[in-house]
Amino acid sequence: MNVRVLLFGPLAEIAGASVSVNAVADTDSLISTLHKSYPVLAESKYVIAVDRHVITSNTLLSENSVVALLPPFSGG
Amino acid sequence: MSEANSYERYSRQIILPGFGKEGQQKLFAAKVFVVGAGGLGCPVLQYLAATGVGSIGIADDDLVALNNLHRQILYSVKDIGLSKAERAADILRQLNAEITITPYNKKITTQNALALFEPFDIIIDGTDNFAARYLINDACVLLKKPLVYGAISQFEGQVAVFKNENERDVSYRDLFPNPPKDGEVANCAEAGVLGVLPGIIGTMMANETIKMITGIGTSLANQLLTYNASTNEVYQFSLPGRTTHSHSPKTKAEFLTTDYEWLCSSAATDEEIDADTFRDLIEKGDVDVIDVREPHELPKANEFSNIKIPLSQLPRNYIEIRSDSVVTFCQTGSRSLQAVKILKGIFGTEKKVYSLRGGILEWQRRVK
């Protein structure tokens, strides 16, 4: 299963604005795969959205799911 | 100004479908408090004053600086060194003398926030740090006041509306439950910001405020909108339901004793040294100075010898650090505090590790 991940703000500097991840069933396994590939990501704070809904617990992914990693911004 | 003239002034919005004189009267009656008269606050204030919001409060304890002018478009060169809140109020009064504008040349704290917000209907967060953002959110939740939120980073912005009418409405803490520690997320001074970006995001915040007051359109309540000025990409995310937050104060008494600076660790610590102490240390020698910024960041630090190790590489790349005293620095002194934590984790008590307070920007200001 192929999942597209969009990274916002400073997270895009770590892994690029968009990455494709294969063979993950849910958001927990997606995040652990991403943290292995990009260890600095594990030290960042962000929330996860699946298909434009911010989630608060592990969520099953389907073919062509789009996951977004959204960090808080402080600037004003 | 007579009532006829007054309606002439706003005639182009009054004739909009669904707006009418009723919409204009709602704007005249509205009381909006804007925290931060900076990049976001300037366009918010300009549009709220122009559209005829009857009462506007402005809180900011900062002074206008030259490097504000590329994005804080209310101010001119002659305003440098003057209070932003007071200058903004004067300039807006010239734009619209029919409305009441009240400047508060002070920082929002737990001690003054509830009293300052109480007389207003809507609070707007245009601040530039997490301690203020969590404080403002918690005050709005306690007072059940709607909060219009906007924030920016380099080329990207976020906008949201938190209605705070009842227990089911999501707040900023439902979106970002835990305050990031200072240095985890770079601010405008460190990461940079495109001048036009706060103009766009601040204008969106003004738009959401005007829609909320007049009841027109669809609100961004329970949504997070993101905008990328570099790619023109806009996304809208729906937010999860209300959750419980261990850190958020449940009563006004609890709010008054919450230390937001500490929660976001933006207060001074004994790991920090000031420019004078730093100068003494480098004059004595036997100190390794580490620039933890990314290689492209400006200004360059040429005034003293230093080793360049970006924060992200520090956990693996510390072999060049040999002296018993180490001073880390970055742009403003927040990432270097993170670096101190990392190096203390590596060296324990073997080395003395400090962060240069205020970073290279403060150092260069002092030296000049």
Side-chain angles (χ1 to χ4, degrees):
Chain A
M1 194 164 57
N2 190 27
V3 173
R4 192 165 157 237
V5 184
L6 306 175
L7 297 100
F8 289 75
L11 302 184
E13 286 172 27
I14 299 170
S18 171
V19 293
S20 212
V21 182
N22 281 314
V24 284
D26 53 31
T27 49
D28 279 0
S29 52
L30 170 71
I31 296 306
S32 95
T33 305
L34 284 172
H35 285 186
K36 270 181 212 135
S37 309
Y38 308 100
V40 181
L41 204 57
E43 292 152 31
S44 306
K45 279 213 172 65
Y46 57 84
V47 294
I48 303 161
V50 176
D51 297 328
R52 304 205 179 185
H53 297 279
V54 174
I55 57 158
T56 50
S57 56
N58 190 23
T59 300
L60 281 176
L61 297 170
S62 53
E63 181 68 32
N64 299 322
S65 286
V66 178
V67 176
L69 308 187
L70 300 157
F73 298 162
S74 67
Chain B
M1 198 179 289
S2 72
E3 191 172 303
N5 273 345
S6 180
Y7 283 113
E8 167 60 20
R9 177 184 187 120
Y10 305 106
S11 60
R12 296 297 188 273
Q13 64 192 26
I14 289 172
I15 57 173
L16 282 169
F19 201 101
K21 283 194 176 175
E22 299 74 30
Q24 193 59 50
Q25 275 154 0
K26 285 177 187 166
L27 289 171
F28 287 153
K31 298 189 274 295
V32 180
F33 195 88
V34 181
V35 191
L40 293 170
C42 283
V44 166
L45 289 164
Q46 278 175 301
Y47 275 107
L48 293 187
T51 204
V53 167
S55 173
I56 300 174
I58 311 169
D60 200 315
D61 69 332
D62 203 6
L63 308 177
V64 178
L66 179 63
N67 64 16
N68 297 153
L69 300 184
H70 87 296
R71 66 188 188 285
Q72 302 184 16
I73 50 170
L74 273 174
Y75 313 116
S76 329
V77 175
K78 65 176 170 36
D79 299 322
I80 291 169
L82 302 176
S83 152
K84 288 187 183 177
E86 283 162 18
R87 282 308 296 142
D90 284 346
I91 294 161
L92 295 169
R93 284 181 194 124
Q94 288 171 37
L95 170 65
N96 194 341
E98 293 174 38
I99 60 174
T100 306
I101 299 162
T102 317
Y104 300 91
N105 182 12
K106 54 180 86 163
K107 187 179 169 164
I108 291 289
T109 65
T110 51
Q111 302 306 309
N112 63 22
L114 299 175
L116 284 174
F117 293 178
E118 185 69 64
F120 292 88
D121 309 320
I122 299 172
I123 313 301
I124 299 191
D125 177 2
T127 59
D128 62 358
N129 64 88
F130 286 113
R133 291 185 180 283
Y134 281 88
L135 188 160
I136 292 165
N137 173 75
D138 293 351
C140 288
V141 170
L142 283 171
L143 294 169
K144 293 192 161 60
K145 302 259 182 203
L147 170 65
V148 178
Y149 156 86
I152 51 174
S153 171
Q154 295 192 319
F155 296 96
E156 292 178 61
Q158 299 174 336
V159 189
V161 172
F162 304 110
K163 296 198 89 163
N164 295 325
E165 270 167 13
N166 56 50
E167 302 288 305
R168 291 187 308 279
D169 286 331
V170 300
S171 77
Y172 181 64
R173 280 191 189 263
D174 297 295
L175 175 56
F176 299 116
N178 302 306
K181 293 292 173 191
D182 206 29
E184 272 184 34
V185 182
N187 60 26
C188 290
E190 294 180 337
V193 62
L194 190 68
V196 73
L197 177 70
I200 294 167
I201 298 300
T203 305
M204 286 183 176
M205 294 164 74
N207 184 40
E208 287 306 311
T209 309
I210 293 164
K211 279 157 59 186
M212 197 191 305
I213 295 167
T214 56
I216 60 170
T218 308
S219 160
L220 265 181
N222 299 347
Q223 303 273 319
L224 174 73
L225 181 146
T226 67
Y227 171 76
N228 186 321
S230 180
T231 62
N232 287 313
E233 283 176 307
V234 179
Y235 291 95
Q236 227 170 291
F237 299 94
S238 68
L239 301 184
R242 193 87 187 236
T243 46
T244 48
H245 309 295
S246 51
H247 295 305
S248 79
K250 306 291 178 286
T251 62
K252 289 179 184 177
E254 230 176 279
F255 175 77
L256 290 176
T257 56
T258 301
D259 186 344
Y260 287 89
E261 301 276 343
W262 177 81
L263 270 181
C264 304
S265 350
S266 43
T269 70
D270 59 2
E271 292 157 347
E272 289 184 301
I273 53 169
D274 60 17
D276 292 338
T277 315
F278 178 57
R279 186 183 292 119
D280 292 347
L281 268 176
I282 48 180
E283 275 170 9
K284 269 187 222 151
D286 196 30
V287 58
D288 281 334
V289 181
I290 320 288
D291 183 350
V292 301
R293 299 175 300 167
E294 299 297 320
H296 62 267
E297 289 185 61
L298 295 172
K300 290 200 186 305
N302 301 324
E303 305 93 319
F304 46 82
S305 65
N306 59 78
I307 310 169
K308 290 174 180 40
I309 313 174
L311 184 63
S312 55
Q313 292 170 25
L314 203 54
R316 295 174 298 281
N317 187 9
Y318 51 84
I319 195 85
E320 288 175 77
I321 304 173
R322 296 200 181 85
S323 300
D324 286 339
S325 293
V326 182
V327 180
T328 62
F329 74 91
C330 62
Q331 210 76 330
T332 62
S334 57
R335 276 175 292 168
S336 50
L337 273 177
Q338 288 284 105
V340 168
K341 289 200 189 92
I342 293 169
L343 292 176
K344 282 195 167 174
I346 294 166
F347 297 117
T349 51
E350 189 187 317
K351 291 182 193 295
K352 284 183 189 139
V353 189
Y354 304 103
S355 157
L356 176 60
R357 183 182 302 146
I360 190 70
L361 293 179
E362 176 65 20
W363 164 262
Q364 292 191 343
R365 221 174 1 245
R366 289 285 199 93
V367 172
K368 275 172 199 163

